Amino acid sequence: YGFKERFGAFFTQKLFHVLTLYDLVNQTICTPTPLPYVNMCRTLLAVYLLLTPFSIQLDLGWYANTVVPTLVAVSLLGLDQISTELENPFGDDPNDLDMLDEVGMVEHEAMFLLQMCGDKLAREHYVWKPMPEFVQAQSARPLPCYLAIRSQVDPTGPGPVLFDKYPIRKP
């Protein structure tokens, strides 16, 4: 079955946790922000910015009438810009989460667990392949390799890379 019995509960717990996180990521990607909500927020922000000058009271002084409304307006416009940037955190923008790096970490952790439990038979079913250049360009950190199932490796292509060629990466 690929792992020793004493690790069964641990693997099952971790696998359930990974599947739960995958469902949350998938839900985040597939659930768009409703357009009426975005329009309502921006309309209310525009109304606030347009009506603020009409609420000036001269007896409060210049600080309360100019500095405070300016700081509030800049902070609200900044929050609107941040929410626009973070609407979809899984993409190719510079401020998005690097999912390729996360997948690489999971691959290294899985192979580290197989190495720690001493299951050589399961380790022999996986090989490390060099990462293509176009995939490396999409990641923030260099990813030298990816994990492949030995039976799925193309027999006409370059030979499989041995497990010990790439050391276990520390997070």
Side-chain angles (χ1 to χ4, degrees), residues 27-164:
Q27 180 181 1
T28 303
I29 291 172
C30 294
T31 307
T33 306
L35 188 61
Y37 176 75
V38 173
N39 287 339
M40 181 189 70
C41 287
R42 290 194 176 156
T43 302
L44 290 175
L45 181 61
V47 167
Y48 172 77
L49 293 175
L50 290 174
L51 293 180
T52 300
F54 297 113
S55 65
I56 293 178
Q57 295 178 0
L58 297 177
D59 56 337
L60 294 178
W62 70 271
Y63 182 80
N65 288 321
T66 56
V67 175
V68 173
T70 303
L71 289 177
V72 170
V74 167
S75 63
L76 289 175
L77 288 170
L79 283 174
D80 182 53
Q81 186 63 32
I82 289 171
S83 65
T84 302
E85 287 292 321
L86 296 178
E87 183 178 2
N88 184 9
F90 310 105
D92 295 333
D93 296 334
N95 62 343
D96 289 339
L97 297 175
D98 189 8
M99 294 307 294
L100 292 174
D101 186 48
E102 297 298 323
V103 168
M105 293 292 284
V106 169
E107 289 176 348
H108 280 87
E109 288 292 324
M111 294 310 290
F112 181 71
L113 284 173
L114 286 176
Q115 183 179 12
M116 293 303 293
C117 72
D119 195 349
K120 293 181 182 178
L121 180 63
R123 275 183 44 197
E124 290 174 359
H125 286 25
Y126 298 98
V127 293
W128 291 106
K129 296 288 290 180
M131 187 70 70
E133 291 294 326
F134 71 93
V135 177
Q136 284 185 4
Q138 296 174 3
S139 180
R141 289 189 347 184
L143 298 171
C145 57
Y146 68 95
L147 195 60
I149 300 173
R150 185 178 296 274
S151 64
Q152 300 295 320
V153 175
D154 186 12
T156 61
V161 178
L162 298 176
F163 174 76
D164 295 327

Side-chain angles (χ1 to χ4, degrees), residues 7-24:
F7 294 108
F10 176 74
F11 279 145
T12 305
Q13 179 187 9
K14 290 299 180 184
L15 182 62
F16 180 74
H17 183 67
V18 167
L19 288 175
T20 304
L21 292 176
Y22 175 77
D23 285 340
L24 287 174

